[in-house]
Amino acid sequence: MINAIIFDFGDVFINLEKEASIEAFKKIGLDCPNDDLVNQNDLFEKGQISELQFIESFQKYIPNASIEEIVKAWNTIIGDFPLYRLEFLQMLSTKYRLFLLTNTDSIHINRFEHKVGMSFYTDFYNCFEKVYYSYEMGMRKPQPEIFTTILNKHDLSAKRTLFVDDKKANTDVAESLGLHVWNLKVGSDDVVNLLEQKNLPL
């Protein structure tokens, strides 16, 4: 019987506007991400470089863009967070131990909190026993250690824990560690259908 659920954040609760972000960068001169920027993003999501170092990595490729323009383009990906998903989560939190585990960075989290407001994000965070951001943990999914850290820290049994994420690479690693998983398909699945999808009681 599942008694704990670990959730991803982006495209599970909050919608991500990936195309809008790509378009925003094109407008300031960056046609598409390259291997260097992808690597810098990985480092940023693991808290290994600062916000300024990350932004400056873009300026190598778009030297005419200001820091403000780059941050704005970077944050374009942060979409809406439907209230019905928060309400579902609040209901779920009365029956299960809930955790949030997301590959993210300080810029995106600041933008999310500013966008939804203190009341909303406080209600959201209060649903979880603990919120885990990759940039604070020093590691990111799908590193196996990120899952085992949470299991060990909270004395969770893998066979009684469900992990929900939209990226198959992440759910594959979690499954290999013995967790139950739901690889949510963005656009066709919605997290509020979790109980029916995994046949879980409330």
Side-chain angles (χ1 to χ4, degrees), residues 37-54:
L37 291 174
V38 170
N39 182 55
Q40 292 297 312
N41 181 48
D42 284 358
L43 293 174
F44 191 35
E45 285 190 345
K46 288 190 282 192
Q48 293 176 358
I49 59 174
S50 68
E51 289 186 12
L52 186 58
Q53 286 173 310
F54 179 63

Side-chain angles (χ1 to χ4, degrees), residues 69-101:
E69 287 174 322
I70 294 168
V71 170
K72 186 176 180 182
W74 182 244
N75 278 334
T76 307
I77 197 170
I78 304 297
D80 67 313
F81 188 143
L83 178 60
Y84 71 87
R85 289 183 186 154
L86 174 60
E87 292 170 342
F88 168 74
L89 193 63
Q90 289 172 321
M91 177 186 68
L92 207 61
S93 69
T94 65
K95 300 292 182 183
Y96 295 90
R97 297 178 68 186
L98 303 183
F99 301 87
L100 190 72
L101 173 61

Side-chain angles (χ1 to χ4, degrees), residues 9 40-55 71 74-75 77-78 102-115 121 125 131-140:
F9 184 30
Q40 292 297 312
N41 181 48
D42 284 358
L43 293 174
F44 191 35
E45 285 190 345
K46 288 190 282 192
Q48 293 176 358
I49 59 174
S50 68
E51 289 186 12
L52 186 58
Q53 286 173 310
F54 179 63
I55 297 305
V71 170
W74 182 244
N75 278 334
I77 197 170
I78 304 297
T102 176
N103 288 350
T104 191
D105 60 72
S106 51
I107 297 176
H108 278 163
I109 292 303
N110 288 337
R111 173 60 185 148
F112 155 66
E113 292 181 352
H114 183 263
K115 185 169 185 173
Y121 75 69
Y125 293 152
V131 171
Y132 285 100
Y133 296 138
S134 60
Y135 73 92
E136 293 178 340
M137 296 182 77
M139 50 186 142
R140 67 194 296 278

Side-chain angles (χ1 to χ4, degrees), residues 136-183:
E136 293 178 340
M137 296 182 77
M139 50 186 142
R140 67 194 296 278
K141 298 173 291 185
Q143 289 176 258
E145 300 83 3
I146 205 165
F147 299 104
T148 54
T149 295
I150 295 173
L151 293 176
N152 294 336
K153 198 165 186 177
H154 298 280
D155 198 24
L156 301 178
S157 164
K159 64 185 179 188
R160 299 189 69 188
T161 302
L162 172 66
F163 173 59
V164 180
D165 197 293
D166 64 304
K167 292 187 172 58
K168 192 170 185 299
N170 297 340
T171 54
D172 283 352
V173 169
E175 194 169 32
S176 75
L177 296 170
L179 286 85
H180 298 266
V181 300
W182 180 24
N183 177 215

